[in-house]
Amino acid sequence: MGLTAEEQTAYPSIAAKANSSFLTVILLIGTLSPVILNNLWLMTANVVNEGDGHQHFWWYTLVFDNYFMIVKGLMFSAFFYAFLPEPAKGHRKWLYWLLAIMWPLFSFLIHMLWLAVNTVGSDDAWGLMKLNFPVGASAAVFAWMPLCLYGQYSREERFFATKRFVVIIVILVADLIFISSSHLVLLLFKAFGDGEFGAPDPLVRAIVELAFLLGFMQVYMPLLGKVWQIGLLLFDTLAPMKDLQRQRMLYFATVILDMHRYMYVREMMYMTESVPVVICMVFKDFVYDVYHFGMSSSPALQSAELMGIPTWKLFLGVSEVRVASSRAYEICIFIVKMLGDFLELPYFLTSVFTWTIDCGYPKQTHSTSFCFAETKVTLVNVPSDFGAEFKEWAYKTAKDRQQNRFILQSEDAHSSFDTVIARDAVEKSNGEWRQVWEGFRDPGRFSFYQFMTVQLGGIMFCRYRARIIIKIASSVMLLAAGTLTRLTPSKDVLNRVHDHSQPRELMQWIVPAAMLFFDVLELVLVQCLQDGDAATMGYKMKRFARLFNDPIFLGMVMSCHVCCNSDLYITFANLKFRP
């Protein structure tokens, strides 16, 4: 069982990108492009200075506000290109360029409407102009919809394409509602900090702020996650995607969710004056990610969970299974897990992204799940008994795989790309981790566990790359934006949330600097914990490189980083214009 002809054609390009240099390039582009572009955007908000806190209407309309609409338009045109079904005659790219142009065009026309009805210089200008994005975006998409469906799909293809289009719209509208409500939550947090609800003593204020932050992460974010979970279910039910397209949708959804999580939580942390609150939140996120993406990536630990061994038994040392050569490290795993899960909701409430791995055992089986962060991986056809019958089957399966020397080139394409390259990685792996417990030293049994854990490790690896890029970019943006804005005339107009007319406070340096320090430390630790032999790391990198082998998808994700990050350091111009 090997790759399809299409996958074999793409494989050389994927293999060429499966290296640390490509990972570094994606990390640098994902973190630096939003910081550079969005800071330049903020710094040019008041280039045409009207004085007295007023902005120049035409500069705002044609440049400042249109920047956001241009970036957003490019992202969503690429989004539709990536996730609408491919027509039999191929996508007509001019249609997607048209959509990208329609976003800023419709926004400009709405500005003209406000100008025509003499509301630009009124007290209602701020509220009205905040409607430009949702109204302009919605009008552009719905005006473009018939052009897309009738301009590139045949009669036979149109119904399926319409279903896919409608599901995409449902998800985007729900996400837009959450963005708007996130702004309200953030402004409410600011109002509390400014004393608009009274002036509580520092301890009460710190407790309320901590509850606010935890509530946002533990209640609000799971609700947003359910929107994407329902959306993915609708895709699978009404308009199913091919394997690679679905994986890219999952990756994009993780980017959106983590953008929400870290944009608004870190913005609120930036506003707080309580050092203990900041320490608690930074430490909690750090420990949580180190466990879920680092420690739990251990193949030995995953194998123990696959066998149904509870973590507490490893902690007490009452299980014959070992997951590390050091008892101290096994105890550390349990402690960090407890800290990482502290105040976290149960997995069945927070799991959004679901994967399925077929263990392939043909006899008495059951299903089990492996959970990390908000991801649930269901393993089906797991042996109910790992005794002699399983050992015999595992030994025979491993022997059969070794005899297949051309596993990547086989023309029998019944397995997914990930399954095929996982098998290839297992055959080439030195499997050093088998030494931690004698039960792993049986070749057949070990080959079975390794085949499962290699795939689990690949899913975790790709999921983490999305998160750490967002975390580092948010830290750098918060560290730089306040100072750079204060160096330009923008400080006179970008004051609705942060007062840039006043010097930057020490706490506003400490918070993002602490975030950045722990983000970099976390990246180093997780990379070390995820590291494996060359074959296993090769599988993880190929899985990641496959996602970005399409330059349009790469451009879409990077533009998503830019446009979403522009909402991180929420400035909100005062929007005062001369009548």
Side-chain angles (χ1 to χ4, degrees), residues 538-552:
Y539 168 80
K540 295 175 181 178
M541 291 182 180
K542 286 171 187 174
R543 187 167 184 139
F544 184 78
R546 186 182 180 222
L547 292 173
F548 292 99
N549 200 42
D550 177 12
I552 293 179

Side-chain angles (χ1 to χ4, degrees), residues 453-518:
T453 59
V454 162
Q455 293 178 80
L456 278 171
I459 294 171
M460 299 176 77
F461 182 84
C462 295
R463 175 67 188 91
Y464 182 68
R465 301 308 296 189
R467 173 163 291 191
I468 194 60
I469 290 172
I470 293 165
K471 293 182 75 170
I472 292 176
S474 66
S475 301
V476 177
M477 185 66 181
L478 287 173
L479 194 61
T483 297
L484 293 176
T485 301
R486 286 176 170 86
L487 296 176
T488 66
S490 298
K491 68 180 184 295
D492 299 324
V493 297
L494 300 181
N495 293 319
R496 196 170 183 92
V497 177
H498 302 287
D499 187 359
H500 294 103
S501 63
Q502 301 298 320
R504 192 170 184 177
E505 297 178 2
L506 179 62
M507 192 68 174
Q508 294 175 336
W509 287 102
I510 293 174
V511 173
M515 292 176 185
L516 181 60
F517 173 79
F518 279 97

Side-chain angles (χ1 to χ4, degrees), residues 339-360:
L339 289 172
D341 289 343
F342 180 62
L343 290 180
E344 289 289 331
L345 294 175
Y347 288 124
F348 74 90
L349 292 176
T350 59
S351 295
V352 176
F353 308 112
T354 57
W355 298 81
T356 301
I357 295 177
D358 189 347
C359 299

Side-chain angles (χ1 to χ4, degrees), residues 20-44:
S20 57
S21 297
F22 183 72
L23 292 178
T24 303
V25 168
I26 297 297
L27 177 67
L28 291 176
I29 295 175
T31 55
L32 295 182
S33 59
V35 173
I36 294 170
L37 292 175
N38 290 332
N39 273 301
L40 289 174
W41 174 58
L42 294 176
M43 292 168 70
T44 58

